[in-house]
Amino acid sequence: MAFPSDITLPNDARYYSFIETKRKYNSNYDIVWSFQYKLPSRTVQYALSNIEQPDYQVGFSTFLTTLSSPISALPGQYLGDSDPAWILSASKLTTEDNKSLLTEDGQYIEIGSRQLSGTLIKIAFDTTGYYAVSGRDSWTGVDVVDRKRESVILRDYNYNVVYNEHLSSISTSFSTLSTETFRTLRFRYVNLGQKLFIDYHDSDTTAYTTLTAIDLGFRLENYSNLDNIYCGFSFSTPVSTTAVDLSAREFYLRNFHIEGYEGYSVLTETVTSAEIPVNPNLTISTVSNITARDIQPSNYCDL
């Protein structure tokens, strides 16, 4: 099939995207999801740099979305995002039943000439760093020369890059995407979208380590219809090249698991405390006609 001109992939490129639609979650409450992946290493040593680097291009991402299926999703450096040219004018971000999403101060969330497939937030792990690069149709990002290899990248509901860091700069034990055993990634979307925690653990332990905590800088308004949030995943190898030998030979994904509140209503609980004891009223008598007189000092002497 023919892709837009800025996507460069060989005919044998592998890419897919899926959304878990069996359950939808209410983002007035925390949403936590996780999965396990394995990406066996394959490196090549470059003579000029004398540094071993991955001999493949891989990008995978996970996201929260209001849509039950991708719209005009693109592979390569877009990792399943919609074509930036799909929407040419500003529009309000809505749920599937056409309810507009609002920020905490009551402002509509508007999207300009780019649409993130209804996505509220998308977290990408990219060996090339191309997911953070700017592109056509006002697609915001960094210059291609400033991209960060082996990085974690986050774009918000308006496609802005809000996080872009080398893995090696935030972790010594998780400095590259390759892993010979299954690695677990966990994502905690909390406080109505104000913060995201990314945790991980390798196969030799069940204790999570926090990779990073990101302040997202916005909060969705707490209203009753924000209850159909789905979770998804996308993958592409290679990311931006015509060289088919830069595709990863194997990539394994399993145990995609989501936890959150499934329901329409926002639940509240009335908390009561024990009655505060008080002293009983005392009988008080009123005394009137009281006068005061001056008391003159008396003479005294030292003993």
Side-chain angles (χ1 to χ4, degrees):
M1 63 178 294
F3 295 121
S5 59
D6 59 337
I7 296 179
T8 304
L9 290 175
N11 292 332
D12 294 332
R14 308 196 315 273
Y15 45 85
Y16 61 84
S17 181
F18 68 82
I19 297 174
E20 172 54 68
T21 59
K22 292 182 180 179
R23 292 182 174 87
K24 55 185 179 179
Y25 300 91
N26 191 323
S27 64
N28 290 300
Y29 301 87
D30 296 352
I31 301 176
V32 180
W33 71 103
S34 62
F35 58 81
Q36 294 179 313
Y37 83 93
K38 182 169 71 171
L39 177 63
S41 62
R42 194 179 88 218
T43 60
V44 60
Q45 184 168 313
Y46 292 91
L48 294 179
S49 63
N50 199 31
I51 297 176
E52 288 191 348
Q53 297 185 10
D55 190 23
Y56 52 72
Q57 293 184 359
V58 171
F60 62 87
S61 67
T62 186
F63 52 90
L64 296 177
T65 179
T66 62
L67 301 181
S68 58
S69 61
I71 297 178
S72 188
L74 294 177
Q77 70 268 26
Y78 290 98
L79 295 181
D81 288 345
S82 296
D83 190 331
W86 185 60
I87 291 181
L88 301 179
S89 60
S91 63
K92 296 182 178 67
L93 183 62
T94 62
T95 60
E96 281 196 313
D97 52 358
N98 207 32
K99 298 292 185 179
S100 296
L101 300 183
L102 306 176
T103 61
E104 188 180 27
D105 57 0
Q107 300 297 315
Y108 289 108
I109 299 176
E110 289 194 352
I111 299 175
S113 59
R114 49 200 186 275
Q115 170 78 9
L116 237 171
S117 301
T119 301
L120 297 181
I121 190 172
K122 188 162 189 173
I123 309 105
F125 295 83
D126 187 356
T127 63
T128 69
Y130 276 115
Y131 185 66
V133 173
S134 60
R136 59 186 170 86
D137 292 295
S138 302
W139 179 269
T140 61
V142 302
D143 292 335
V144 66
V145 295
D146 296 324
R147 62 190 173 96
K148 299 178 179 180
R149 300 177 186 271
E150 297 281 351
S151 58
V152 55
I153 304 159
L154 189 148
R155 287 185 182 265
D156 64 11
Y157 62 89
N158 205 25
Y159 273 105
N160 295 319
V161 176
V162 296
Y163 191 83
N164 180 27
E165 290 295 341
H166 289 291
L167 286 169
S168 59
S169 70
I170 56 178
S171 175
T172 56
S173 58
F174 185 6
S175 59
T176 179
L177 290 179
S178 62
T179 173
E180 304 303 319
T181 58
F182 277 98
R183 175 180 288 150
T184 303
L185 290 174
R186 181 178 68 179
F187 307 87
R188 292 178 285 151
Y189 182 79
V190 301
N191 295 339
L192 285 170
Q194 291 186 105
K195 198 154 191 172
L196 176 76
F197 292 90
I198 304 176
D199 311 314
Y200 75 97
H201 73 73
D202 288 317
S203 60
D204 59 348
T205 180
T206 58
Y208 280 101
T209 298
T210 297
L211 179 65
T212 186
I214 305 169
D215 291 317
L216 301 177
F218 66 92
R219 177 178 176 178
L220 295 179
E221 186 187 42
N222 181 2
Y223 77 106
S224 60
N225 196 63
L226 194 58
D227 68 324
N228 56 338
I229 303 299
Y230 304 98
C231 189
F233 181 90
S234 59
F235 168 85
S236 182
T237 185
V239 176
S240 183
T241 182
T242 57
V244 67
D245 59 340
L246 288 181
S247 293
R249 291 194 180 98
E250 299 96 10
F251 179 84
Y252 304 92
L253 178 71
R254 71 181 187 185
N255 295 340
F256 196 87
H257 179 72
I258 313 165
E259 293 181 1
Y261 174 67
E262 302 174 51
Y264 180 83
S265 301
V266 178
L267 303 179
T268 60
E269 180 181 357
T270 301
V271 179
T272 59
S273 59
E275 191 174 305
I276 300 175
V278 296
N279 291 326
N281 293 331
L282 299 177
T283 302
I284 300 175
S285 300
T286 302
V287 180
S288 58
N289 299 324
I290 297 176
T291 59
R293 63 184 179 85
D294 293 335
I295 299 176
Q296 299 296 326
S298 60
N299 295 330
Y300 65 92
C301 62
D302 293 329
L303 297 179

